[in-house]
Amino acid sequence: MSPINPPMHFFRRSSLVQSAVHHLTSNRLAIMRSPPSALGYQCQRQRRNFGKEMKDEYGNMTSEGETFVAKDFVLESGASLPQAQLRYQTYGNLNQRKDNVIVVCHALTGNASLHAWWGELLGKNKAFDTEKYMIVCCNILGSCYGSTNPQSIDPTTGSAYSKKFPDISVEDTVKLQLKLLKEELQISSIKAVVGGSFGGMQAMEFAIQAGSKVGDYFSEDGSPYLRSVVPIACGAYHTAWQIAISEVQRQAIYADPMWKEDPFQATTGLEIARQMGMISYRTPQGYQKKFGRQLRSENTPLYGSQALWQVKSYLEYQGMKFIDRFDPVTYVKLTEQMDSHDIARNRTETVEQALSMIEIPMCVLGIDSDILYPLSQQEEIAASVPKSQLKIINSNDGHDGFLLEQDQVARHIVNFLNTIK
């Protein structure tokens, strides 16, 4: 079936938005005025001028994959999508029993191309062993990498959804993935679901919907449809701290002059939102070790508005690079979806009760330096899930350690999966 989404495109600034970024360097303004075809090259050229950088967590991001469409998909809110499109990729082969499946869920700005961001874990004799398992990775419902999202055309109007895109919850995203797995791919049972950050929230939701006493999905023998789960660097719900960090990023986008009249062009606000996110994903120690108080040039003032801090250049580059692959409306809607995360909503009175109803084995991974999803949240999960264990990833990279500490993550996943039939 042909996709209903327009291809991911570049968003060019108008002169109005350009005037709003007068504080940036003239070199960067020249890049912003460049035609889209030249932007990627100039970003790479600018990157070499920025000096020290932190290790990047993502590879080449595309919308490639296969497409599943669920018609008249009813959302948790009661609204519905006439055509809910889900982009996905598979790796490895399904066995005769159709039960050797591992589902891997991506984070906020990821995609279905598992090889692009967790490539060291994918392949023969690796954590996601393609000789043993069929690995399925889906693009989140609402994301701009192939699934139905704010850029998609609303069949009822013939125009893009834009800001009218309906509210999607994590429950909705997982429900659509389960429809793909059970109805389209005819999977009899899922061995494990693994995910970090927003992917971890999906993993927790999978555990509730397909691995608990309050779930809706079971195998033919009556056992839970999902046999195990590995949530990484997340909680059982989004806390006030995490909602606040999401909200201030959204406020940066709302403050862009283009948000009201042409929201897909509110890319200045999106750049700032991304910069905020990049701070929360790391640690004070990591930033100090990499950048300190270093300046880009000996000729720059030592302080003040004209000082060219290395860390400033790094954040500006991250923001500029991000608008090359994401749009403001999708970012707002996906952060709102993260804020919906609460496994107890409409199920139990407390989170502890919801966690206690998860029947399947769980390996919870937390990062000791994570300030965004602190270790206390993983400890809370492990304390209430009956068949759970907690493993700690030692890292100086903060929240992004789930992407960057691939050796540690892989070791814990392999050891856990070896205990699951």
Side-chain angles (χ1 to χ4, degrees), residues 2 10-11 13 23 53-54 73 86 108 116 121 138 141 175 201 209 242 262 280 285 326 331 338 359 381 415:
S2 60
F10 300 105
F11 300 92
R13 289 180 175 78
H23 61 286
E53 295 181 18
M54 289 180 165
F73 183 69
L86 189 68
L108 174 61
L121 276 66
C138 300
L141 180 60
K175 177 181 169 184
M201 299 175 214
Q209 290 192 38
Q242 289 138 11
D262 190 358
S280 70
Q285 296 82 3
F326 231 80
Y331 195 80
M338 283 200 306
E359 301 179 289
I381 294 172
N415 291 340

Side-chain angles (χ1 to χ4, degrees), residues 40-283:
Y41 166 74
Q42 293 200 39
C43 283
Q44 293 299 320
R45 181 175 63 184
Q46 186 81 344
R47 181 175 186 169
R48 289 196 293 271
N49 292 335
F50 280 172
K52 289 190 175 182
E53 295 181 18
M54 289 180 165
K55 185 178 179 182
D56 200 356
E57 69 274 20
Y58 284 114
N60 184 35
M61 303 296 289
T62 70
S63 300
E64 63 185 354
E66 299 180 67
T67 302
F68 168 70
V69 177
K71 293 185 178 180
D72 299 319
F73 183 69
V74 179
L75 304 169
E76 182 185 354
S77 66
S80 64
L81 287 170
Q83 297 184 74
Q85 176 170 302
L86 189 68
R87 188 62 50 81
Y88 69 97
Q89 291 197 51
T90 63
Y91 307 82
N93 298 308
L94 192 62
N95 65 7
Q96 192 171 8
R97 295 189 304 274
K98 299 184 178 181
D99 66 355
N100 66 328
V101 173
I102 294 177
V103 176
V104 181
C105 303
H106 71 73
L108 174 61
T109 67
N111 63 359
S113 299
L114 176 59
H115 57 275
W117 44 272
W118 251 357
E120 293 300 315
L121 276 66
L122 179 66
K124 184 178 180 180
N125 297 324
K126 296 184 177 181
F128 304 133
D129 192 335
T130 49
E131 297 290 311
K132 295 169 59 177
Y133 308 120
M134 184 176 89
I135 296 91
V136 181
C137 186
C138 300
N139 184 226
I140 294 170
L141 180 60
S143 172
C144 53
Y145 288 111
S147 295
T148 302
N149 68 81
Q151 294 182 50
S152 302
I153 302 301
D154 180 351
T156 64
T157 66
S159 301
Y161 283 102
S162 190
K163 289 191 287 187
K164 294 181 180 180
F165 190 70
D167 294 331
I168 307 292
S169 67
V170 181
E171 179 180 330
D172 295 326
T173 282
V174 170
K175 177 181 169 184
L176 185 58
Q177 291 183 51
L178 281 164
K179 284 181 70 69
L180 162 72
L181 294 162
K182 196 155 193 177
E183 299 175 15
E184 178 75 5
L185 300 181
Q186 300 289 303
I187 305 303
S188 64
S189 176
I190 306 169
K191 176 161 182 169
V193 173
V194 182
S197 193
F198 196 170
M201 299 175 214
Q202 294 170 72
M204 291 299 300
E205 186 64 35
F206 263 102
I208 288 291
Q209 290 192 38
S212 77
K213 297 176 182 177
V214 293
D216 299 317
Y217 290 83
F218 300 90
S219 299
E220 289 184 358
D221 62 2
S223 62
Y225 186 57
L226 173 62
R227 308 202 302 276
S228 68
V229 64
V230 184
I232 307 171
C234 70
Y237 57 93
H238 234 215
T239 65
W241 167 252
Q242 289 138 11
I243 294 171
I245 291 173
S246 294
E247 181 58 31
V248 73
Q249 293 178 65
R250 291 191 290 264
Q251 290 293 335
I253 294 172
Y254 302 155
D256 190 302
M258 296 302 293
W259 176 252
K260 290 184 178 180
E261 58 182 274
D262 190 358
F264 287 118
Q265 296 285 349
T267 50
T268 297
L270 180 60
E271 285 191 60
I272 297 170
R274 181 60 170 177
Q275 292 178 37
M276 293 177 181
M278 293 303 294
I279 296 171
S280 70
Y281 300 153
R282 299 301 178 100
T283 64

Side-chain angles (χ1 to χ4, degrees), residues 269-402:
L270 180 60
E271 285 191 60
I272 297 170
R274 181 60 170 177
Q275 292 178 37
M276 293 177 181
M278 293 303 294
I279 296 171
S280 70
Y281 300 153
R282 299 301 178 100
T283 64
Q285 296 82 3
Y287 269 82
Q288 182 62 26
K289 182 178 179 180
K290 178 60 68 173
F291 304 111
R293 293 180 54 83
Q294 297 178 55
L295 299 167
R296 281 181 55 194
S297 169
E298 295 180 356
N299 299 323
T300 182
L302 299 180
Y303 63 92
S305 59
Q306 301 301 313
L308 298 179
W309 302 106
Q310 285 278 10
V311 68
K312 175 185 177 182
S313 298
Y314 166 77
L315 291 172
E316 288 182 349
Y317 167 70
Q318 290 296 329
M320 181 176 62
K321 182 177 71 168
F322 189 58
I323 65 170
D324 200 32
R325 69 179 185 90
F326 231 80
D327 76 81
V329 185
T330 297
Y331 195 80
V332 165
K333 290 293 184 177
L334 284 184
T335 57
E336 290 175 344
Q337 184 179 159
M338 283 200 306
D339 291 345
S340 79
H341 177 52
D342 181 356
I343 64 168
R345 185 177 58 251
N346 297 326
R347 290 168 176 144
T348 59
E349 292 185 3
T350 68
V351 170
E352 290 75 18
Q353 288 175 336
L355 290 169
S356 70
M357 291 186 176
I358 297 174
E359 301 179 289
I360 59 176
M362 176 183 292
C363 181
V364 189
L365 300 187
I367 302 166
D368 58 3
S369 60
D370 194 341
I371 62 173
L372 183 56
Y373 295 89
L375 196 56
S376 59
Q377 288 192 271
Q378 293 87 60
E379 292 171 341
E380 178 184 26
I381 294 172
S384 296
V385 175
K387 299 177 182 178
S388 65
Q389 55 182 280
L390 174 64
K391 301 295 181 180
I392 298 175
I393 298 169
N394 302 117
S395 175
N396 293 322
D397 290 318
H399 184 63
D400 269 352
F402 83 94

